[in-house]
Amino acid sequence: MPTAPTISPREREVLLAVADHLTNAEIADRLYVSVRTVESHVSALLRKLGARDRRELAARAPGLATAGAPAGFVVGAPQLPTSFVGRTAERDAVVRLVGESRVTTVLGPGGAGKTRLALAATEAAAAGFPDGATFVNLVPARPGSVLESVAAGLGVLPRPQQPLPDVVAGQLAGRALLVLDNCEHVADDVADVITALTTANPRLSVLTTSRERLGVPGETVLQLGPLPAGGEAVALFTDRAKAVDPAFDADPAQVAELCRELNGSPLNIELAAARVASLGLDGLRAGLADDPLRVLAAARGEPRHRSLRSVIEWSHRLLGDEERTVLARVSRFRHGFDLDGAAALSPDLSVGAVSDVLGRLVDKSLVTVHREAGTWSLFDGVARFAREQPGPSAEVAARYRRWAAGRARELTGRLGGDWRDEFDRVADDLRACVADEPEHALAADLARLTYARGFLAEAAAHWRTAADRAPTPAATAAELARAGSCVHLLSHARDHYDLLLVAAERADGDPAARAGCLAAAVVLAERFRGAGFITDPVPPAELDRMLAEAARLAGNSAQVAVARAWHSGPGPQTVTAEAAEHAVAAAAGDPLLLSAALDARCTAEALAGRPDLAHRTTQERVDLVTKADRTDPHAALEVLDAFRSAITYAVATGALADALRVSRRAATDPALAGHPYWGRGGLVTTLALTGRFADALALADELWRATAGTGTPRNATLGVPLLAAALAAGLSGDEPAMIRWRTRAADVAGVAHLAGSANLAPLDAFVRARVALHTGTGSAELLAEAGAEFARGRFDGYAAGVTAELAVVLDAPDAEHHLARAGQHAAHNRWTAAVLTRAHARRRNDAGLRREAADRFAELGAGFEAEATATAVPAAGS
């Protein structure tokens, strides 16, 4: 059976960037890795996918790197250092079981070969899963973070107002295979996640490896027993022996006898084979029979069949004092260690001495060396046994914590480069030490690292821990504020607001810190009223009190100035121009605070009827925030909101070229990867308005699968790109698809009819009227509906413009009224100005005006509208 190629999560990110036609340097900047690392990934992708060059790789990318892997590909599969030998019958059984059962568990003790078997079976079965196969190693996971680990393996992030289980389930839609390796330490959480995912998608198959049953409904268990001594065990021993001694050649009958003495355990066999180079087969067998100094041996007269614990215990008794001491110390590391780490736990030995002892432990098959990575690891059974041995554990634990603190600080200094693989290896060490380390720094550094890795909920918890250990009230407040930004990204602004109030309480005694928290809380309550405050708004009197106290404590600080701006208008989310300009001037030295001040100015400009000025301000914000530190959750909020605002006002003013440029940036920006409503969603809308209908519909399909595949999310923001898809379908002549997209938009808005949504009604009116103009199906009834008065927003100008043109085509008695109303919008919306010119050209049958309208559309990048203008039929009465 052919082996399926595998694409790692990082290769998947590189592939998407190649599809965006980025250079290696640009990809390196986006992914925070070196150019050399990118070059290595591109070379691997060319080889794996059989592509001749980057152009062919980019052409294949959309089908390989977006929502789910295609049949035959395994995303995230590890590259194991040794080959798969034996277990062919078990592999075939697992392939059959994953095709028939919803949950299959490969069960066995440590060292039984569960991971190798699961990987081999997955590669063999992948072709039967058209919606992709994904391999997730749960070693880095901890209780409570299994779902985040699965999300990270799938390459998805939490999205606003959509639970992470729904996001993950949406990514695993259709006939897909999810492999969860090493489940035993988080078995209860794994069971809950599997139950939720298989309930959401009955076609999903899950394969797990564990040392215990998960106990989920429908679980089928394959128990791994000993390898048959006469066949597969001999093949495994021979393969591993040749790895250490290429000249190894032995009688298969002798090897089979040795494998029986090793009880058919794959790990015992591998441990024994590793000694062949130094002892030879006869010497190894002699040790098993007679000599207590031989590794992996039974003492004279003892049973020949032994458990893994017995083998480890025997080997441990053969160690010298120095070897036992170093083994006990390095057994604290959860998933491997480097020489610096081992030396840090053994300050009484030189680095050379530690290296020598590790070499001896490798020779005794108690430690495994990974030469390419420059690291060592212990088999889990060996580590567990070594940690059980008596010794000065308190002193070693203190050294372990100091090492963890130093490694965490080092990794935070490498956040702009290659750090993720190293973090994954030491993450559990850092987590274990945070629980015992009373110092503030380790918790704060681990919070930053987990946030940068995409584990937002865990990061928030670590920042709360850091707040408890912070040395000053100001540091406490700062850590709680970062935790608040994380929960804002995970849920909404109200949870962030509540944490800021806690921060303000704990900052009592530091006037500046308390004032900053109170001012930030006022900004949140006013600025993000639609994200958690609609049903539970903060009373205006409470905001007045908080702002007054902040001003009393901090005077005219920049934070107070920004809060005053957002609280300056007569009602919710109203801002006066004077207060906004004062805030911008006051915040000039702080990029993130300045972004919030510019957002206030943008709001004031829009309220003053100047969306053109608001559009210009949003461009300034985007240029500002894209330079911010992406490992700071405060920055992520500003990046997300800046792109959202920029797309909104570019569309609202008809600046479609700007909208397309910013939408493309948003769709590929890492900070918006988990927020497709304003990333890919904005791009769908812009593509439809500029006439790129096929691209708009393809992207809308991806967006719908990614966000709504597990159930219809109640979010009117998502309705905008869905209605844009309806426009693209209608102008492409596909009326059933147009109806389907409009129905989806109503569903996500939670309304029976789109006229009942203040945000979507003008866009829906525009879509219906524009398609009616194109198909010649306009009517007086539609004119009345499209010409209604709508709330001010992005699309009321579009609705007014197309209504005016429809009124002209129908020779409606109130056409002049509609033309005049469109003229008011045309002053600030270039698309409306262009369509108004076309309406006058129809009315007057004026070829010059027709050419002017076509030129205006062409300047906007609206090719479809430019062509439609050239063939527009004059009005009936002209």
Side-chain angles (χ1 to χ4, degrees):
M1 189 174 296
T3 300
T6 61
I7 299 177
S8 71
R10 176 46 56 87
E11 287 172 344
R12 192 178 185 186
E13 293 174 333
V14 172
L15 192 56
L16 283 169
V18 170
D20 290 334
H21 306 291
L22 299 185
T23 66
N24 285 352
E26 291 170 331
I27 296 173
D29 287 341
R30 177 190 290 184
L31 301 181
Y32 309 110
V33 298
S34 68
V35 174
R36 180 171 295 180
T37 298
V38 175
E39 291 171 349
S40 174
H41 285 312
V42 171
S43 297
L45 287 166
L46 289 168
R47 183 181 68 255
K48 288 182 179 182
L49 302 180
R52 291 170 294 183
D53 52 31
R54 290 175 72 97
R55 179 178 297 179
E56 187 172 336
L57 198 61
R60 297 187 184 188
L64 298 175
T66 53
F73 282 82
V74 184
V75 174
Q79 301 296 322
L80 297 179
T82 54
S83 59
F84 177 71
V85 179
R87 303 285 196 198
T88 54
E90 289 91 338
R91 180 199 62 193
D92 294 341
V94 173
V95 171
R96 175 179 58 80
L97 289 173
V98 297
E100 298 173 353
S101 304
R102 301 187 67 183
V103 181
T104 302
T105 296
V106 176
L107 195 65
K114 300 184 293 295
T115 295
R116 282 193 183 89
L117 174 61
L119 179 58
T122 301
E123 292 174 340
F129 292 87
D131 293 296
T134 303
F135 198 104
V136 179
N137 179 14
L138 291 181
V139 166
R142 65 186 184 97
S145 73
V146 168
L147 188 62
E148 287 189 347
S149 295
V150 174
L154 291 167
V156 300
L157 297 173
R159 300 186 178 105
Q161 301 181 8
Q162 188 176 14
L164 184 58
D166 290 352
V167 180
V168 172
Q171 191 75 2
L172 291 170
R175 183 61 175 153
L177 174 62
L178 174 64
V179 185
L180 302 178
D181 192 30
N182 299 297
C183 297
E184 53 273 356
H185 62 300
V186 284
D188 291 342
D189 291 346
V190 170
D192 292 340
V193 169
I194 289 175
T195 300
L197 292 177
T198 53
T199 300
N201 177 13
R203 300 181 65 200
L204 174 67
S205 289
V206 181
L207 171 62
T208 72
T209 71
S210 181
R211 297 182 185 180
E212 62 183 84
R213 294 172 183 267
L214 300 177
V216 297
E219 180 185 21
T220 300
V221 174
L222 178 70
Q223 176 75 54
L224 286 189
L227 286 173
E232 294 179 344
V234 171
L236 177 62
F237 186 96
T238 303
D239 181 84
R240 302 302 188 254
K242 284 183 177 293
V244 296
D245 180 10
F248 174 77
D249 186 18
D251 180 1
Q254 287 184 301
V255 176
E257 182 63 24
L258 174 62
C259 291
R260 275 192 289 271
E261 293 170 4
L262 294 170
N263 204 31
S265 164
L267 180 55
N268 288 354
I269 290 170
E270 293 195 357
L271 289 169
R275 296 306 308 273
V276 164
S278 58
L279 296 176
L281 187 61
D282 289 339
L284 184 57
R285 292 204 65 203
L288 286 170
D290 302 314
D291 194 341
L293 299 178
R294 302 295 183 183
V295 126
L296 299 176
R300 185 177 289 124
E302 289 188 358
R304 299 170 73 187
H305 296 282
R306 305 177 61 83
S307 67
L308 178 59
R309 170 170 282 276
S310 298
V311 172
I312 295 170
E313 187 174 23
W314 181 280
S315 299
H316 191 266
R317 287 204 296 267
L318 301 179
L319 298 178
D321 290 342
E322 194 176 56
E323 292 168 338
R324 289 180 183 175
T325 297
V326 171
L327 183 65
R329 291 169 178 175
V330 298
S331 70
R332 288 187 172 272
F333 294 106
R334 296 313 199 256
H335 308 296
F337 54 92
D338 56 19
L339 184 57
D340 289 342
L345 270 59
S346 297
D348 52 325
L349 299 174
S350 69
V351 174
V354 173
S355 178
D356 176 65
V357 173
L358 289 175
R360 281 184 268 150
L361 291 171
V362 170
D363 289 341
K364 298 179 187 303
S365 300
L366 288 171
V367 172
T368 299
V369 61
H370 308 282
R371 290 184 175 84
E372 290 186 3
T375 60
W376 292 263
S377 63
L378 277 66
F379 291 111
D380 184 63
V382 174
R384 288 174 181 270
F385 180 86
R387 287 196 292 267
E388 293 171 1
Q389 306 312 302
S393 57
E395 181 181 350
V396 176
R399 295 173 190 163
Y400 180 48
R401 291 195 299 271
R402 287 195 295 271
W403 165 85
R407 184 53 58 92
R409 177 52 50 92
E410 176 200 357
L411 288 171
T412 56
R414 290 166 50 190
L415 286 175
D418 290 338
W419 63 277
R420 289 174 176 80
D421 292 343
E422 175 68 9
F423 171 74
D424 287 347
R425 183 174 66 77
V426 303
D428 269 2
D429 292 303
L430 305 185
R431 290 162 177 154
C433 289
V434 160
D436 299 323
E437 172 59 59
E439 295 298 323
H440 162 257
L442 177 56
D445 286 340
L446 183 55
R448 179 62 62 90
L449 290 166
T450 50
Y451 172 76
R453 196 66 181 89
F455 300 154
L456 273 65
E458 182 182 351
H462 290 314
W463 264 311
R464 283 174 166 148
T465 299
D468 292 338
R469 300 171 182 176
T472 65
T476 297
E479 304 296 28
L480 285 173
R482 292 187 181 96
S485 292
C486 280
V487 299
H488 189 162
L489 290 166
L490 284 167
S491 54
H492 47 63
R494 184 68 199 220
D495 291 340
H496 187 180
Y497 172 87
D498 291 340
L499 262 178
L500 282 175
L501 294 188
V502 174
E505 289 179 8
R506 296 183 61 180
D508 198 20
D510 188 313
R514 178 171 172 81
C517 293
L518 293 173
V522 171
V523 172
L524 275 177
E526 293 283 14
R527 186 181 178 195
F528 297 105
R529 286 184 66 85
F533 294 98
I534 292 179
T535 58
D536 187 19
V538 181
E542 179 65 12
L543 295 177
D544 291 341
R545 184 198 65 75
M546 292 164 60
L547 184 55
E549 182 179 355
R552 178 177 59 79
L553 293 172
N556 294 320
S557 70
Q559 290 175 305
V560 170
V562 174
R564 277 180 172 152
W566 279 104
H567 195 53
S568 61
Q573 289 188 308
T574 58
V575 176
T576 66
E578 181 181 3
E581 291 302 333
H582 178 70
V584 169
D590 184 328
L592 298 183
L593 199 58
L594 178 56
S595 174
L598 288 172
D599 192 25
R601 185 174 80 185
C602 178
T603 301
E605 290 165 342
L607 290 171
R610 294 301 304 273
D612 52 331
L613 296 180
H615 168 51
R616 188 172 65 188
T617 296
T618 64
Q619 306 305 302
E620 187 177 347
R621 275 190 79 200
V622 168
D623 291 340
L624 177 71
V625 300
T626 49
K627 301 172 185 175
D629 179 6
R630 301 307 183 86
T631 67
D632 183 347
H634 299 329
L637 287 173
E638 290 299 330
V639 172
L640 175 64
D641 189 71
F643 272 113
R644 175 200 62 77
S645 186
I647 296 170
T648 295
Y649 285 103
V651 170
T653 57
L656 299 185
D658 288 344
L660 188 61
R661 174 178 56 83
V662 177
S663 294
R664 289 193 188 281
R665 288 179 64 184
T668 58
D669 191 282
L672 276 79
H675 306 274
Y677 303 158
W678 290 112
R680 284 184 290 173
L683 186 54
V684 170
T685 304
T686 311
L687 289 170
L689 289 173
T690 55
R692 296 165 172 83
F693 300 141
D695 291 343
L697 289 168
L699 192 58
D701 278 327
E702 292 180 16
L703 177 63
W704 179 254
R705 289 196 302 269
T707 58
T710 60
T712 305
R714 291 289 184 259
N715 191 316
T717 304
L718 178 58
V720 173
L722 302 185
L723 282 176
L727 175 68
L731 294 180
S732 299
D734 190 345
E735 184 179 0
M738 176 183 171
I739 295 172
R740 183 168 62 253
W741 286 112
R742 290 185 66 237
T743 300
R744 288 173 173 175
D747 288 343
V748 300
V751 294
H753 303 286
L754 287 164
S757 170
N759 291 326
L760 298 181
L763 176 56
D764 184 55
F766 161 68
V767 169
R768 295 169 60 209
R770 182 64 194 90
V771 173
L773 275 172
H774 179 65
T775 58
T777 56
S779 65
E781 181 181 4
L782 177 58
L783 178 64
E785 294 174 1
E789 291 294 332
F790 298 110
R792 179 177 293 177
R794 274 183 288 174
F795 298 105
D796 54 331
Y798 288 86
V802 78
T803 300
E805 186 174 12
L806 182 60
V808 167
V809 168
L810 295 175
D811 195 20
D814 57 351
E816 196 65 42
H817 163 73
H818 290 295
L819 289 167
R821 190 177 68 154
Q824 295 173 355
H825 290 278
H828 304 299
N829 186 316
R830 284 177 264 177
W831 194 96
T832 305
V835 80
L836 182 61
T837 303
R838 187 169 67 193
H840 284 301
R842 284 182 186 265
R843 194 180 197 194
R844 304 171 191 171
N845 195 16
D846 187 322
L849 281 179
R850 187 192 305 272
R851 285 193 298 272
E852 179 183 343
D855 289 343
R856 288 190 173 193
F857 280 122
E859 289 173 2
L860 296 178
F864 175 85
E865 295 294 350
E867 292 179 8
T869 302
T871 59
V873 178
S878 60

